[in-house]
Amino acid sequence: MNQEHDPPRGAGLDPADLDGFTIEQLSDYLDRGRSPSDPAIEQSPGCQLALDALERLRALGPALVLSDASAEPPPDEGWVQQVLAGITQDARAGRRVPISSTASGADLGITEGAIRGLVHAAEREVSGMLIGRCALLGEITEAGQPVTVRVEVSVPYGEPIPALVARLRSAIAGRLAVHTTMALAGIDIAVQDVRQLQQTHQEDQ
Amino acid sequence: MTSPTADDLTPAGLAAALEQVVRATAGVTALFRPGLPLVRSIASGVRGVSGAEPHAPVVAVEQTPDGLAVEVGISVRAGAGAVATIREVHAGIAELLGRLGVVAGPILVTVVRVEEAGQAEPPD
């Protein structure tokens, strides 16, 4: 089923700042179960990408979500704050990446924001993995030009990092092959943090 | 019932017919009004194309020297694949224009979101 979505507030498909919403407002909206439905949020591509990212973040567990700013900060607060800040940036439509076609008159493309979203979604395939910053490097608006994907990740403590990274790289490459026609030159993955998940804390206690 | 011809359709009617085709394409989960800066350069000066007007068509159409320009943004289901889906959308648009005898200009289709399984779809 599909719906009509009208980017609100004249922002078109390129929201400068999540169509006027903050990441905190979108987080509150998720807390309310997206109810009552806010058309301005639901009809904004940028807000949808940000909500996707927040949902993925929450799926990793309560330890990664800062529901109370006044509470004692968990050990990984810094990383999570970086991730939250990055969601806004990553949800922007950004550049338009061509999708190749031999059809006459076809001008097909996918937004940089959509690509970042599907790269982030690859973390679902690697338990405990959390992708932070994601960048597409290269002349991505030019068809056929080599593009390198660079991501920063946080990994769960206790797992062999090379194996985790290899699985993530494979997951990202698979998604890019299905959803883009970019000439992928490489996927650079930088492990920025090793986290102790809350579940592990509880099990230890 | 006879199929409409280009002469039967107003620009709004043509946009609506194209919208139906796009919505019916397997893998398409939602449509978004156009508005990318790249696209606005083509649509500049055309009322109802910028996305700022509340009743603007979801699919933008505009007659250009090269033919009828069409533009739309879509979100797609991850399982369907953005590349396969967007090519199907383009083929559907081109097929309808051809059937109506409309000379096609540039057809711009942009994927703005890939929906993973389990991600919430916006409500109706």
Side-chain angles (χ1 to χ4, degrees), chain A residues 1 16-17 37 39 44 52 60 66-67 74 83 119 127 129 143 148 170 188 192 197-198:
Chain A
M1 182 170 188
D17 53 355
S37 177
S44 159
D52 291 346
L60 286 175
L66 305 177
S67 58
V83 172
V119 168
S127 180
M129 179 74 76
T148 297
S170 175
D188 295 341
Q192 298 284 55
L197 295 180
Q198 187 177 47

Side-chain angles (χ1 to χ4, degrees), chain A residues 89-158:
Chain A
Q89 177 67 34
D90 285 355
R92 296 181 180 184
R95 294 169 287 181
R96 185 174 184 269
V97 181
I99 291 177
S100 65
S101 173
T102 57
S104 175
D107 188 345
L108 312 181
I110 181 170
T111 64
E112 192 175 9
I115 294 174
R116 285 192 296 254
L118 66 92
V119 168
H120 275 277
E123 71 191 11
R124 288 180 165 194
E125 297 184 26
V126 186
S127 180
M129 179 74 76
L130 182 60
I131 297 179
R133 291 179 181 170
C134 171
L136 305 180
L137 308 177
E139 298 297 327
I140 65 171
T141 61
E142 302 292 330
Q145 293 298 306
V147 176
T148 297
V149 176
R150 178 176 295 169
V151 296
E152 296 177 355
V153 302
S154 171
V155 298
Y157 174 78

Side-chain angles (χ1 to χ4, degrees), chain B residues 7 25 27 38 41 43 46 50 59 62-63 90 98-100 108 110 113-115:
Chain B
D7 291 339
T25 305
L38 174 69
S41 68
V46 181
S50 70
V59 177
E62 168 63 8
Q63 193 62 50
H90 173 268
R99 185 151 40 91
L100 295 174
L108 278 78
T110 304
R113 182 187 179 216
V114 177
E115 279 187 25

Side-chain angles (χ1 to χ4, degrees), chain A residues 1-7 13 34 37 42-43 45 48-49 52 56 96 100 103-111 114 121 124 175 178-181, chain B residues 23 28-33 36 38 51 54 58 78 81-83 86-87 90 106-114 116-117 119-124:
Chain A
M1 182 170 188
N2 52 47
Q3 304 88 32
E4 171 185 332
H5 291 167
D6 181 4
L13 299 178
R34 302 171 81 135
S37 177
E42 298 294 351
Q43 296 170 3
Q48 292 302 304
L49 290 170
D52 291 346
R56 285 195 300 271
R96 185 174 184 269
S100 65
S104 175
D107 188 345
L108 312 181
I110 181 170
T111 64
R124 288 180 165 194
R175 284 161 188 268
V178 170
H179 299 296
T180 78
T181 55
Chain B
R23 287 189 187 282
V28 173
T29 59
L31 275 65
F32 293 84
R33 287 195 171 90
L36 284 168
L38 174 69
V58 178
V83 173
I86 199 170
R87 287 174 177 165
H90 173 268
I107 298 174
L108 278 78
V109 187
T110 304
V111 175
V112 300
R113 182 187 179 216
V114 177
E116 298 285 333
Q119 285 179 340
E121 280 191 27
D124 288 324

Side-chain angles (χ1 to χ4, degrees), chain B residues 60-89:
Chain B
V61 296
E62 168 63 8
Q63 193 62 50
T64 72
D66 296 329
L68 189 78
V70 179
E71 186 203 350
V72 66
I74 60 173
S75 65
V76 304
R77 183 169 50 80
V83 173
T85 301
I86 199 170
R87 287 174 177 165
E88 284 296 313
V89 167

